[in-house]
Amino acid sequence: MALLELYHYWVFAALLMIGFYAVIAKLNLIKKLIGLSLFQAAVFLLYISMGKVEGGTAPIFTDSATEPLYSNPLPQVLILTAIVVGISTLALGLGIVVRIKEEYGTIEENEIQEIDRQ
Amino acid sequence: MSALQAHLPALQVIVPMLTAPLVILVKERRLCWAATLLASFCALAIAVSLCIDVLHGDYIRYLMGSWPAPWGIELRVDAFSALLLLIVNGASSLALVGATASLDRDIESSRQPLFYAAWLLALAGLNGILVTADAFNIFVFMEISALASYVLISAGPNRRALPAVFKYLIMGTIGATFYLIGVGLIYLMTGTLNIADMELRIHEVADQRPILVAAGFITVGLALKAAVFPLHVWLPNAYTYAPNMVTVFLAACATKVSLYILLRIDFFVFQQNLSGHDFQFSYFLMPLSLLAILVASTVAMFEPNLKRLLAWSSVAQIGYITLGASLVSVAGITASLLHMFNHALAKGALFLVLACLGMSLRHLRIENIAGIAKQMPWTMAAFVLAGLSLIGVPGTAGFISKWYLITAALDSGPWGTALIAIIIISSLMAVVYIWRIVETAYFQPAAEQAVVSEAPLLLLLATWTAVALNFYFGLSAGLPVELADSAARLLMGHMR
């Protein structure tokens, strides 16, 4: 049961590996980038899930007499930054793929290598 | 002046970062160049000033927005970061001095403002990694510098730059994400991102599995970014197809900054808290370093493309740097840090020579430079002298760090003599690949139709300044040795 209680780590690990597999095994450059995004998204989930406190709410001060339980907001802030970084990387990667398509006429890795070998 | 003095650690990042958008607004390419050069020299002056302050093992703290340390982001400059700041800003400034002529060949003039902006962002990112004391902040700056350097490399004139940069992007992002996973796991266990704070708190949870996993992720991720053998596969092509001046800049500092993060996190956070970590670190890094030195030197001996030859040589030199660190002793780390400095000088000078050659030659292949020394005497003389420094001939900067490395290896126990043998063998291999180029350029008959003239004055000036620095720091190595020694004591001082 202890294994199931930590299910968010399993989701993290599974997503991470699916993304990593796509980056390594796929020859299509766009698919590689999708894999890379998935790979990063898995890490975002790791951060987000670690900040969650069971029963905790958003850390906003209220007038209520009892101090409510707060979730840790810091990981979410960190991941907001990391998401921006991830999007920039993806955008730049797609930009490079467009340029590769213009120059080589293909986005398959093996075909590009073939053309370069000539 | 004294009011500014207190803010130097922040200005180190802010000056290049704020100049970047200004450069885009100024559309005239020579003005852009002048602004970039000015910002880079400004950053170099700040780095020198910081160096003087921290030379004897002190450190400078700077609290961003005056928020107290573990909560706010702290900047911290010590001898280790000051040494790297000197390398990064020095390499950028020197490359920019000679950049105009070479960039006019490689990049169309309408795109040059954007190119200079990317250059400044890369510089700001690298400086940011070096001044910050916050592990997550390092990740953000690492990605800023990496994204900017992808843009710089993809500006290369050859279309092969594109697949090369795509590979670099994929591998660089995986490396950075691995680092992010490691930092996340440490945060999970300690609740802090400040490296100094981490050092204190990790003690309570040391040797638990998440910390060990974090150590693994951080080490492998940064080794990927630093092109530690066998994770170097992105490096040769990326350096080969980048514009010549970009190779000068990145080859001198990009991988070294990743090694800086690796050493800083490893020695400050893990070494003293994980039992047996120094052995694991040694046994992991030392075989890889030796393989890097031998395999990459061998490949360099047979490589016909000059830029790729020097790129492979860089992989071998990274091996020397990690070899010094893997000895886990003050002497070894001093040697390692000195080699970062001296290799940046030697390789920077050599890539500047290639940029000179690139002014006349379309393809930098060994058969194209036959007899070129007659037409480009100054360029090739610079190559010979910088080559001597790379090999490690006495009187040059390269000799100093190899001498320190050999001394450190001697003290390291039974394996010492074997290490020295490998260092000497690989130095002989360096003689072979440098000599091949010298021999072709000086003693082979020139091709008939080649019309080649000497490189432009500014580029030669930058090249010869780099060569002169190689000899200056070879004869009076006081400053880098003192910095490296303070830094090594700092790193080892954190071990019990």
Side-chain angles (χ1 to χ4, degrees):
Chain A
M1 273 296 98
L3 282 181
L4 278 183
E5 273 169 35
L6 297 173
Y7 70 94
H8 50 276
Y9 291 122
W10 291 107
V11 173
F12 155 69
L15 268 181
L16 192 78
M17 285 304 118
I18 292 170
F20 205 31
Y21 171 80
V23 173
I24 294 170
K26 293 293 167 192
L27 293 174
N28 185 308
L29 299 185
I30 301 272
K31 288 183 184 164
K32 269 183 192 291
L33 283 176
I34 294 173
L36 197 67
S37 291
L38 209 56
F39 182 70
Q40 290 180 311
V43 183
F44 302 162
L45 277 182
L46 170 72
Y47 271 75
I48 298 285
S49 61
M50 77 169 83
K52 174 70 183 163
V53 176
E54 206 127 313
T57 66
I60 301 167
F61 282 115
T62 52
D63 294 333
S64 70
T66 54
E67 185 83 351
L69 190 64
Y70 295 132
S71 281
N72 185 351
L74 187 67
Q76 304 194 7
V77 180
L78 296 179
I79 285 319
L80 212 54
T81 316
I83 287 173
V84 175
V85 170
I87 287 177
S88 324
T89 312
L90 184 64
L92 182 61
L94 288 173
I96 293 169
V97 173
V98 170
R99 289 279 294 120
I100 289 178
K101 172 78 178 169
E102 282 171 9
E103 294 284 342
Y104 288 84
T106 173
I107 53 166
E108 297 291 325
E109 199 180 28
N110 50 348
E111 291 172 18
I112 293 167
Q113 280 170 351
E114 200 107 305
I115 295 171
D116 268 345
R117 218 172 280 132
Q118 286 161 11
Chain B
M1 192 57 217
S2 58
L4 268 182
Q5 190 82 26
H7 297 286
L8 286 185
L11 286 173
Q12 183 80 74
V13 186
I14 289 172
V15 168
M17 192 171 266
L18 287 190
T19 316
L22 291 181
V23 159
I24 298 177
L25 295 178
V26 180
K27 291 239 165 55
E28 222 295 301
R29 68 195 156 105
R30 284 293 176 267
L31 271 179
C32 290
W33 170 72
T36 312
L37 189 67
L38 191 68
S40 178
F41 268 103
C42 213
L44 179 61
I46 295 172
V48 170
S49 159
L50 288 173
C51 261
I52 294 167
D53 287 347
V54 298
L55 199 53
H56 301 293
D58 314 328
Y59 60 84
I60 303 171
R61 290 179 73 188
Y62 182 86
L63 302 174
M64 279 315 254
S66 298
W67 291 93
W71 297 282
I73 289 174
E74 180 193 1
L75 306 185
R76 187 185 279 237
V77 179
D78 53 27
F80 189 18
S81 35
L83 179 75
L84 269 290
L85 282 174
L86 211 55
I87 297 173
V88 168
N89 293 293
S92 159
S93 305
L94 206 54
L96 280 169
V97 167
T100 45
S102 179
L103 287 183
D104 283 347
R105 273 179 69 93
D106 287 343
I107 297 159
E108 51 197 286
S109 48
S110 63
R111 292 208 177 145
Q112 282 192 13
L114 295 171
F115 176 85
Y116 285 120
W119 185 296
L120 284 165
L121 287 176
L123 183 63
L126 293 172
N127 281 338
I129 295 172
L130 297 173
V131 296
T132 186
D134 182 284
F136 190 82
N137 217 212
I138 288 181
F139 165 76
V140 175
F141 279 124
M142 194 154 78
E143 286 298 66
I144 291 177
S145 68
L147 286 169
S149 32
Y150 305 147
V151 174
L152 290 180
I153 292 172
S154 68
N158 191 325
R159 69 173 179 182
R160 290 182 188 203
L162 297 168
V165 92
F166 188 82
K167 192 185 224 173
Y168 183 19
L169 182 137
I170 296 277
M171 300 192 76
T173 308
I174 291 175
T177 310
F178 269 26
Y179 172 79
L180 190 62
I181 297 173
V183 170
L185 290 172
I186 296 179
Y187 179 72
L188 193 66
M189 298 303 285
T190 63
T192 183
L193 290 166
N194 184 302
I195 294 177
D197 201 31
M198 234 179 229
E199 190 188 335
L200 299 175
R201 292 200 197 187
I202 208 168
H203 185 58
E204 297 154 25
V205 289
D207 287 319
Q208 291 191 27
R209 200 175 286 157
I211 299 292
L212 298 178
V213 174
F217 269 116
I218 289 179
T219 310
V220 173
L222 291 173
L224 187 57
K225 290 213 67 117
V228 173
F229 188 88
L231 302 172
H232 64 280
V233 287
W234 58 266
L235 186 142
N237 271 353
Y239 282 10
T240 307
Y241 297 117
N244 291 336
M245 296 320 287
V246 172
T247 317
V248 175
F249 177 35
L250 293 183
C253 52
T255 52
K256 297 183 182 67
V257 171
S258 300
L259 282 175
Y260 160 90
I261 314 171
L262 179 61
L263 293 184
R264 168 150 300 225
I265 304 256
D266 202 86
F267 279 87
F268 276 49
V269 179
F270 295 134
Q271 285 285 11
Q272 80 273 25
N273 287 315
L274 302 184
S275 57
H277 186 71
D278 45 346
F279 287 109
Q280 289 168 359
F281 184 74
S282 275
Y283 289 149
F284 175 68
L285 219 49
M286 196 180 287
L288 294 183
S289 313
L290 295 176
L291 274 175
I293 294 172
L294 292 175
V295 174
S297 299
T298 312
V299 176
M301 288 192 330
F302 297 101
E303 176 60 51
N305 182 319
L306 297 180
K307 273 178 98 178
R308 196 180 282 126
L309 186 155
L310 290 184
W312 276 105
S313 152
S314 279
V315 175
Q317 305 288 328
I318 292 164
Y320 286 119
I321 297 171
T322 48
L323 178 65
S326 73
L327 296 174
V328 196
S329 66
V330 171
I333 294 172
T334 308
S336 160
L337 302 184
L338 259 183
H339 200 63
M340 285 190 189
F341 186 83
N342 294 338
H343 171 244
L345 282 176
K347 200 44 75 62
L350 285 172
F351 274 119
L352 275 166
V353 170
L354 288 196
C356 289
L357 289 173
M359 291 304 296
S360 304
L361 300 174
R362 251 178 71 75
H363 297 291
L364 287 169
R365 294 178 69 81
I366 195 154
E367 59 266 23
N368 297 345
I369 61 159
I372 209 167
K374 282 204 186 64
Q375 288 130 325
M376 303 180 83
W378 287 98
T379 305
M380 284 320 292
F383 185 87
V384 174
L385 295 176
L388 290 180
S389 181
L390 186 73
I391 294 164
V393 174
T396 61
F399 172 71
I400 306 281
S401 46
K402 282 205 178 146
W403 179 255
Y404 270 83
L405 194 58
I406 287 179
T407 322
L410 258 186
D411 295 341
S412 71
W415 294 97
T417 28
L419 296 182
I420 292 171
I422 288 176
I423 293 169
I424 290 173
I425 289 171
S426 71
S427 296
L428 292 177
M429 288 164 132
V431 174
V432 172
Y433 60 70
I434 295 293
W435 175 252
R436 257 177 76 215
I437 300 175
V438 173
E439 199 255 353
T440 318
Y442 276 90
F443 302 118
Q444 288 194 6
E448 289 289 320
Q449 75 284 15
V451 186
V452 176
S453 57
E454 191 51 275
L457 198 61
L458 268 179
L459 191 52
L460 271 184
L461 180 74
T463 313
W464 275 91
T465 312
V467 170
L469 285 175
N470 270 299
F471 281 86
Y472 175 76
F473 285 115
L475 297 172
S476 68
L479 174 76
V481 169
E482 204 166 330
L483 268 178
D485 187 58
S486 298
R489 278 173 207 290
L490 202 76
L491 287 175
M492 291 300 291
H494 283 261
M495 287 182 68
R496 298 224 177 84

